[in-house]
Amino acid sequence: ELATGLMMFAYSFLAMTAYNVVKPITRSKFISSLGADNLPYVQLAAGLLIGVLMQGYSVLVARLPRRYVAPLTLAGMSGLLVAFWFLFRTAGDWVSVAFYLMGLILGILLISQFWTLANDIYDARQAKRVFGFIGGGSSLGGMTGAGLTAVVVSRLGTENLLLCSAFILLLCSGLVALIVRREEAAGRGGAVAAEEEGVGGKEALRLLRESRHLQIIALVIAFAAVGAGLIEQQLNMAAEAFKGRSATDNLTEFLAQVTLYLSAIGFFIQVALTSRIHRTLGVGFALLVLPTSLGVTGVVMLLNAALWAPALARILDTS
C-alpha cells in the first residue's frame, strides 16, 4: 500500500506539474494572438463545445478496457502538445484558440482520471487515510509547474515549454501504466463507488426543485463562479495592458507567477487553516470568506489601477 500511495502521489504531482506549465501558456498565446477582450467569447463557446467533446470522449473510452484509458489519454495529450508546438510555428490565430480549448479539456481530464483511478484502487477506509496525502501531490505539482514556467520561460521561450510539459505527461503515462499493472482493482470500479452510488440527472433536478437548501447552495456556487470569471478576465486584461500584447514570454512569466503564488497559498490554507476555521468559526464563516475577499479586492481594483490588484484578487479567489 505504501508503494502504491507513493506512486499515486507522484502521479498527481506529475500531472499537475505538466498542466500548470501549459495553463499560463494557453492564456498568453491567446492574448498575443487575439487580445484579452476576446477571451470571454471563447470561454462561452467552450462551455458548450467541451460538453459535446466530453460526451464523445465518454463514448470512445467506453469501447476500451477501462484500465488502459488513463495511460493512453496521457500519452495522447503528450502527442497533442508536440503537435501544437509545430502548429505555433505556422502562425494562424486559430491555433491559439484551439490550444486554449485543449488546455481547458486537459485540466478536466487530468483531475477526473486521477480521482477515478484512486477510487478504483482504495476502499472507503483506505481513502480516508491516504487521499489527503496523494492529493497533496496536486498542490505541490501546481507550484512546481508554475515555478518552472516562471523561471525558464525567458530562456527557453513560451512554445518550447510545450515540449517540457509533453515529456512530463509521457512520464506520467508510464507511471500510470505501472500502477494499473500492479493494482488488480484498477479499472474495475472501486469500493467507494460501490458504496456511494450517485443519482441520475433527472433525480438531481427534482431534488434541486424541492429543496430550498440546495437552491441556496447552487446560488452560492453560481455567484462564486461568476465572480471568479470576472476576476480572471480582469487579470488577463491587466496583464495585456501592463506587459504588452506582443510580449508573449513576459505574459507567460507573469501569469505563471500568479499561479505559483495561488498554489502555494492554497496549499497552506488547505493544510493549516481550513480545518481550524471549520472547527472554531464554523462553515458559515468559511463560506463568507470568498465573497468578502472578492468584494474587497474589487474595491481595491476600482481605486487602484495597478497590476498587483487583479493578481491579488485572483490569488485570493482561487485559494
Side-chain angles (χ1 to χ4, degrees):
E1 183 177 326
L2 176 60
T4 300
L6 290 174
M7 287 193 291
M8 289 295 292
F9 178 89
Y11 173 16
S12 65
F13 174 80
L14 290 174
M16 286 299 102
T17 298
Y19 174 64
N20 281 278
V21 170
V22 169
K23 184 178 179 180
I25 300 175
T26 62
R27 275 69 175 170
S28 64
K29 293 297 293 185
F30 188 100
I31 292 172
S32 296
S33 297
L34 298 171
D37 289 346
N38 290 311
L39 262 173
Y41 300 109
V42 177
Q43 290 172 335
L44 181 62
L48 301 174
L49 181 60
I50 289 177
V52 176
L53 292 176
M54 293 305 294
Q55 184 65 29
Y57 167 81
S58 299
V59 173
L60 177 63
V61 299
R63 301 179 180 180
L64 299 172
R66 182 174 165 181
R67 61 191 294 110
Y68 300 121
V69 168
L72 290 175
T73 301
L74 290 166
M77 285 295 178
S78 175
L80 272 178
L81 289 177
V82 175
F84 273 109
W85 180 77
F86 282 106
L87 288 173
F88 276 126
R89 297 177 177 274
T90 67
D93 293 340
W94 69 270
V95 179
S96 296
V97 176
F99 183 63
Y100 184 84
L101 293 174
M102 193 278 290
L104 295 177
I105 295 173
L106 177 63
I108 295 171
L109 287 178
L110 288 178
I111 294 172
S112 63
Q113 289 188 341
F114 171 78
W115 288 112
T116 297
L117 181 60
N119 192 51
D120 285 350
I121 294 174
Y122 298 106
D123 58 31
R125 179 181 57 82
Q126 293 171 321
K128 293 176 182 178
R129 186 170 64 253
V130 303
F131 271 18
F133 168 71
I134 64 175
S138 299
S139 298
L140 293 178
M143 288 186 280
T144 302
L148 175 66
T149 301
V151 169
V152 305
V153 65
S154 60
R155 292 190 288 271
L156 294 182
T158 295
E159 290 86 356
N160 291 329
L161 283 172
L162 297 183
L163 299 180
C164 296
S165 182
F167 177 72
I168 295 171
L169 283 180
L170 200 59
L171 289 178
C172 194
S173 175
L175 177 62
V176 175
L178 289 176
I179 294 173
V180 298
R181 184 176 300 178
R182 175 187 177 90
E183 298 293 327
E184 295 182 359
R188 297 181 182 178
V192 175
E195 294 182 9
E196 300 181 4
E197 183 179 356
V199 297
K202 291 183 178 180
E203 178 66 10
L205 290 176
R206 184 188 66 79
L207 292 172
L208 182 62
R209 286 195 306 267
E210 296 177 356
S211 172
R212 182 172 178 80
H213 181 68
L214 289 179
Q215 292 169 7
I216 293 174
I217 291 176
L219 284 174
V220 170
I221 295 172
F223 282 125
V226 171
L230 290 174
I231 291 296
E232 181 172 6
Q233 177 59 16
Q234 288 170 317
L235 175 62
N236 292 328
M237 295 170 67
E240 179 183 357
F242 281 88
K243 298 296 183 180
R245 176 170 169 176
S246 60
T248 306
D249 290 348
N250 289 337
L251 287 169
T252 301
E253 181 179 2
F254 170 71
L255 295 173
Q257 289 172 345
V258 173
T259 302
L260 171 62
Y261 293 140
L262 67 86
S263 296
I265 295 174
F267 180 74
F268 172 75
I269 290 174
Q270 179 180 353
V271 172
L273 297 182
T274 300
S275 61
R276 296 183 181 180
I277 290 174
H278 287 167
R279 288 197 307 267
T280 60
L281 300 175
V283 175
F285 178 88
L287 289 174
L288 287 174
V289 171
L290 176 60
T292 302
S293 64
L294 287 179
V296 171
T297 52
V299 173
V300 171
M301 283 188 285
L302 184 64
L303 299 177
N304 190 339
L307 184 57
W308 62 264
L312 175 64
R314 180 61 177 157
I315 290 170
L316 293 177
D317 158 50
T318 307
S319 300

